[in-house]
Amino acid sequence: PNSNRGFKPSTFVDSVMFMLHEGGKCLDDLRYIRNDDALRKLIGLEQVPKSDTLGDWLRRIGQTGVQSCVEVNRKLLALALHKCRRVVLDIDASFIEADKKSAQYSYLKSKVYMPMVGHIAQTGQIVAVDFREGNVAPATDNLVFIHQCEAALPEGVELDAVRIDAAGFQVAIIDELIDRKLKFSIRAKMSQDLKALID
């Protein structure tokens, strides 16, 4: 900070946004953007910080900075959606293997982090992410996460439908989506009782 050698904050924000929208799962994935001269020229990104530098910056800015990135993401979504006013939300847990000492074991018996990620189906863009430890069940607080995704949508854009795997097969979620007349697709393990209800 305040030196002629440091990166501008916009360089960090641009790098994070492009990395997330390109499907990056960890800070080391910045190297794909840094090594892609054609992409960087196309998007006008002259510098890309190393993963350690970005990690230090993220720790330094804390939650206030994360919220600012949410606002930047909202603007990017608005540009990509153009005149689309109703969107389909896909949510799913993402398994990220980790060698860190603080990482927790998941139900898959490996050390991971398991963030919940919300995507807009029309563009494939991330609308929201909820960081979770590896030992947190994928079904935890999914209704709250749906609300978080809605809050992160650009102004004037609404949910049309929600798609979730079996982690979303919960009474509270189904009841709210029905009450709000939102379309939904939720995978569920078939049982005799469920089949009878569907019939």
Side-chain angles (χ1 to χ4, degrees):
N2 302 319
S3 78
N4 61 1
R5 297 184 316 277
F7 290 108
K8 293 180 182 177
S10 60
T11 300
F12 289 110
V13 173
D14 288 347
S15 298
V16 168
M17 289 299 132
F18 285 119
M19 182 184 72
L20 287 175
H21 287 286
E22 286 296 313
K25 291 189 172 185
C26 65
L27 295 183
D28 283 338
D29 288 344
L30 273 176
R31 71 181 180 278
Y32 296 117
I33 296 173
R34 191 171 44 257
N35 294 337
D36 192 334
D37 293 334
L39 173 66
R40 286 193 300 106
K41 186 173 181 179
L42 181 69
I43 61 179
L45 190 62
E46 293 177 10
Q47 296 178 301
V48 178
K50 292 188 176 177
S51 58
D52 289 347
T53 306
L54 179 60
D56 290 342
W57 181 77
L58 288 170
R59 282 185 286 279
R60 200 166 55 244
I61 64 169
Q63 275 305 116
T64 303
V66 170
Q67 188 54 42
S68 296
C69 288
V70 169
E71 292 305 318
V72 171
N73 194 53
R74 190 188 319 267
K75 301 283 187 198
L76 289 175
L77 291 172
L79 289 170
L81 288 169
H82 192 48
K83 294 182 181 179
C84 180
R85 293 291 168 244
R86 297 187 60 77
V87 296
V88 176
L89 173 66
D90 289 323
I91 70 169
D92 198 6
S94 181
F95 295 85
I96 301 171
E97 290 193 42
D99 293 327
K100 286 190 168 190
K101 187 176 181 181
S102 61
Q104 302 293 318
Y105 282 94
S106 74
Y107 65 89
L108 296 175
K109 297 181 175 54
S110 57
K111 289 180 95 173
V112 300
Y113 294 112
M114 201 179 317
M116 187 60 72
V117 182
H119 292 91
I120 292 179
Q122 285 88 333
T123 62
Q125 289 176 288
I126 294 172
V127 65
V129 177
D130 182 26
F131 180 80
R132 297 179 181 183
E133 297 289 350
N135 60 351
V136 176
T140 303
D141 293 332
N142 283 344
L143 184 55
V144 172
F145 184 64
I146 291 170
H147 294 160
Q148 180 184 337
C149 291
E150 268 189 294
L153 288 172
E155 188 176 337
V157 177
E158 301 176 345
L159 286 185
D160 184 43
V162 177
R163 299 188 297 202
I164 318 173
D165 65 9
F169 188 59
Q170 302 172 25
V171 172
I173 292 175
I174 294 170
D175 283 348
E176 179 168 324
L177 296 175
I178 289 172
D179 290 345
R180 293 177 56 191
K181 297 180 174 45
L182 289 171
K183 295 176 268 186
F184 62 91
S185 174
I186 300 176
R187 193 180 84 209
K189 192 170 184 178
M190 188 56 72
S191 66
Q192 286 185 333
D193 291 339
L194 181 58
K195 188 175 186 318
L197 184 61
I198 291 169
D199 290 342

